Amino acid sequence: MKRFINELKMQAEGDKGDPFEARIEFNNKIYLVFDHFELDGVKYFYIIEDISDEFKNEDDLKKFLESDKKFNVEFIYEINPKTHMYATVTDPNLLNLLNLEAVKRLAEGKK
């Protein structure tokens, strides 16, 4: 079991080290910060819900992939610098732009 988890981590890390920048709590869930970048003067964070505890072995992962279960992927930004409050991006047009930027950064090796 431990070996399986370590193998998954090694595959995710590849030659670059840890693919995630940080682990945070947002909206009462644990997320992994995959990337961050600035667009039009606003810093956005691309976060992925950490569901790794659900995978104790390879069968757990297979069952998850074959199921209809979902996990959250969000773009968040700081809405109040004094209180460090963050909000989820909900505007569909902005989400499209952020997704395009995230894919572009990944393709260019910036992430």
Side-chain angles (χ1 to χ4, degrees):
M1 179 166 29
K2 189 82 165 164
R3 183 174 171 222
F4 172 73
I5 292 170
N6 288 336
E7 285 176 11
L8 281 180
K9 287 180 183 176
M10 287 173 52
Q11 289 173 8
E13 291 172 7
D15 295 333
K16 297 180 183 180
D18 192 348
F20 301 105
E21 298 176 359
R23 192 171 184 203
I24 63 169
E25 185 174 341
F26 178 74
N27 203 21
N28 298 318
K29 294 183 181 181
I30 301 297
Y31 285 84
L32 301 167
V33 178
F34 183 70
D35 196 6
H36 72 279
F37 51 87
E38 202 168 299
L39 187 66
D40 296 331
V42 178
K43 188 173 185 178
Y44 295 96
F45 295 86
Y46 183 35
I47 61 174
I48 301 169
E49 184 179 0
D50 183 3
I51 58 169
S52 60
D53 288 342
E54 293 184 29
F55 309 126
K56 304 298 182 216
N57 56 48
E58 195 171 351
D59 287 337
D60 290 346
L61 179 60
K62 184 177 178 183
K63 287 176 188 173
F64 178 81
L65 294 172
E66 292 172 350
S67 75
D68 291 335
K69 288 185 179 180
K70 298 180 181 176
F71 59 95
N72 294 315
V73 177
E74 309 277 355
F75 283 100
I76 62 173
Y77 63 101
E78 192 171 38
I79 58 173
N80 187 329
K82 291 181 182 179
T83 61
H84 301 292
M85 294 294 295
Y86 287 78
T88 303
V89 174
T90 57
D91 178 83
N93 294 326
L94 179 55
L95 281 170
N96 284 336
L97 288 173
L98 294 172
N99 279 312
L100 288 172
E101 181 65 21
V103 168
K104 178 182 159 192
R105 288 174 53 78
L106 193 59
E108 293 174 348
K110 293 181 180 175
K111 177 54 199 156

